[in-house]
Amino acid sequence: MKAVVLVGGEGTRLRPLTVTTPKPLLPIAGRPLVERQLVWLAAHGIDEVVLSLGYLPDAFVEHFPGDRFASMALTYAVEPEPLGTAGAVRFAAEHVGIDERFVVCNGDVLTTLDLGALVDFHVERGATATIHLSQVEDPSALGVVPTYPDGEVEAFIEKPAPGTAPTNWINAGTYVLEPDVLARIPPALATSIERETFPRLLEDRGCVYALGTGDYWLDVGTPEKYLEAHADVLAGRMGSPPVLDAREEAPGVWLQGDVDLAAEASLEAPVLIGDGVAVAAGARVAGSALGPGASVGPNAVVDHSVLLSGARLARGALVRASILGVGASVEEDAAVLDFSIVGAGACVPASTTLTGGRVPVAASAG
Ligand code: GDD
Ligand code: MG
């Protein structure tokens, strides 16, 4: 079966990380989000994937040289302008000539859903479209989907005001579609599948079903969720090891390649230390992922944070619940706190504090 993976969004809530790298290519514990999704699709029998691209498409083409990933053929459908989540599906489907049942996934989702069970449910119900649902505490940033007891969809309520949602079961961004859904999407016009195509299908008494499951599920859309994805993957919620080539030095302490860890450094599980990382004496790394070539100076602290490759903390610096982009640096005794993001190549000056802030990508790195 074919799958269309929607990866054309700009990832605005993860700027400035997404200024240089599209969200699906950001690493989650050492492996790009989209690769984790492709591994999942391959494991469930998908044999061909169309990447639906718009924003920074060359980055994907360069990332997947050749036209294969694992056992799957890969095709790129690059939109001339953003066509929205439905327009993108039609454009991608036409690009490869989809004329049979297929799967669509939002490209920013991590899940352990049994895709085969979703397809079986779709077939049993004779549905035109079937949507995977997940239960969340606060559905206000997502698409809320109330259903009847047999799973037929009652309504679509996209991004309801806080406290107004009739249920906390939300559209989890994986769909099984019959090809006739495609004819309902206007060609070459920006259209949203959640706000337009699915609600209209319901109005026309189309067969739209949804299956709620308790599988692991996360939309990696914000800094908070990006850090949560790391915590979950490091804790083994997507399987163990958290990334293929990692070795477990001590319980929950995962190392890749050659690392330079001072005997007097402290590592508190779960952590992932990438190839070429240096951690100096007196430094502490807790609940964090350090990308290849990152370095942590003497007495510096990395706490529940992510350092992308080559990021650097000078002596005494502190990074807590924050993300450093590729080659970013935090100078002596500076602190980066509370869901801050430092862009690629940017620098946080010595003895300054950044709380919930954004530092733009350095001109040299853009
Ligand atoms: N090709 C293409 N073109 N892809 C797009 C476009 C576009 O114009 N717009 C968005 N996408 C991609 C994004 O890259 C992302 O992978 C996916 O479509 C969903 O877009 P988001 O911007 O992340 O949407 P959201 O998280 O606010 O809401 C959607 O996902 C939730 C679950 O993850 C909706 O589908 C909600 O109903 C749902 O609950
Ligand atoms: Mg999203």
Side-chain angles (χ1 to χ4, degrees):
M1 192 165 11
K2 294 186 177 72
V4 173
V5 181
L6 296 173
V7 285
E10 293 186 20
T12 52
R13 293 164 293 182
L14 278 169
R15 283 180 187 156
L17 293 178
T18 47
V19 169
T20 41
T21 308
K23 176 164 64 172
L25 288 177
L26 289 175
I28 304 289
R31 181 152 214 191
L33 175 55
V34 66
E35 283 193 18
R36 293 188 177 273
Q37 209 174 26
L38 292 175
V39 167
W40 166 72
L41 289 170
H44 291 284
I46 297 295
D47 51 22
E48 187 175 340
V49 167
V50 193
L51 291 178
S52 163
L53 304 171
Y55 178 65
L56 300 178
D58 295 349
F60 291 89
V61 180
E62 277 161 31
H63 187 83
F64 296 108
D67 47 7
R68 296 203 75 78
F69 181 85
S71 56
M72 304 183 300
L74 277 189
T75 314
Y76 311 100
V78 183
E79 290 154 45
E81 67 221 40
L83 288 174
T85 44
V89 170
R90 174 159 180 164
F91 183 85
E94 279 175 356
H95 189 80
V96 292
I98 290 180
D99 56 5
E100 54 193 9
R101 182 175 302 138
F102 67 110
V103 168
V104 172
C105 330
N106 284 349
D108 59 349
V109 158
L110 266 183
T111 184
T112 55
L113 165 72
D114 178 349
L115 188 56
L118 189 71
V119 175
D120 290 348
F121 175 85
H122 172 89
V123 173
E124 277 162 26
R125 293 291 191 274
T128 309
T130 298
I131 298 158
H132 173 221
L133 305 184
S134 183
Q135 211 171 14
V136 297
E137 250 170 56
D138 174 14
S140 61
L142 298 157
V144 173
V145 184
T147 54
Y148 297 106
D150 68 343
E152 190 168 4
V153 171
E154 215 182 314
F156 287 93
I157 309 158
E158 192 65 21
K159 320 267 157 77
T164 64
T167 167
N168 59 357
W169 284 99
I170 55 88
N171 168 13
T174 301
Y175 318 127
V176 183
L177 304 181
E178 293 301 312
D180 30 310
V181 173
L182 295 169
R184 308 181 63 94
I185 303 171
L189 193 70
T191 310
S192 158
I193 203 162
E194 308 85 355
R195 294 181 193 269
E196 298 173 78
T197 312
F198 287 151
R200 292 215 183 115
L201 194 55
L202 266 194
E203 276 167 25
D204 296 348
R205 309 181 72 84
C207 265
V208 187
Y209 280 83
L211 177 67
T213 75
D215 298 295
Y216 176 77
W217 182 85
L218 192 72
D219 174 319
V220 189
T222 61
E224 289 83 348
K225 296 292 174 186
Y226 185 66
L227 292 172
E228 190 177 331
H230 277 82
D232 291 342
V233 170
L234 291 183
R237 295 192 63 188
M238 302 286 295
S240 187
V243 55
L244 270 188
D245 59 352
R247 58 186 189 279
E248 196 170 20
E249 181 88 348
V253 175
W254 298 94
L255 308 182
Q256 291 174 289
D258 290 327
V259 295
D260 176 12
L261 307 173
E264 304 81 6
S266 128
L267 300 182
E268 292 171 28
V271 289
L272 174 68
I273 310 289
D275 185 30
V277 164
V279 183
R284 185 168 82 89
V285 179
S288 296
L290 276 49
S295 67
V296 184
N299 303 321
V301 174
V302 182
D303 185 14
H304 292 85
S305 292
V306 174
L307 272 51
L308 298 190
S309 52
R312 195 175 63 82
L313 273 73
R315 175 185 296 273
L318 164 65
V319 175
R320 175 176 297 143
S322 293
I323 308 156
L324 302 188
V326 173
S329 61
V330 181
E331 298 303 331
E332 262 189 54
D333 298 321
V336 174
L337 311 170
D338 295 351
F339 308 110
S340 292
I341 302 181
V342 183
C347 168
V348 178
S351 304
T352 58
T353 299
L354 181 71
T355 305
R358 303 281 181 275
V359 182
V361 170
S364 55

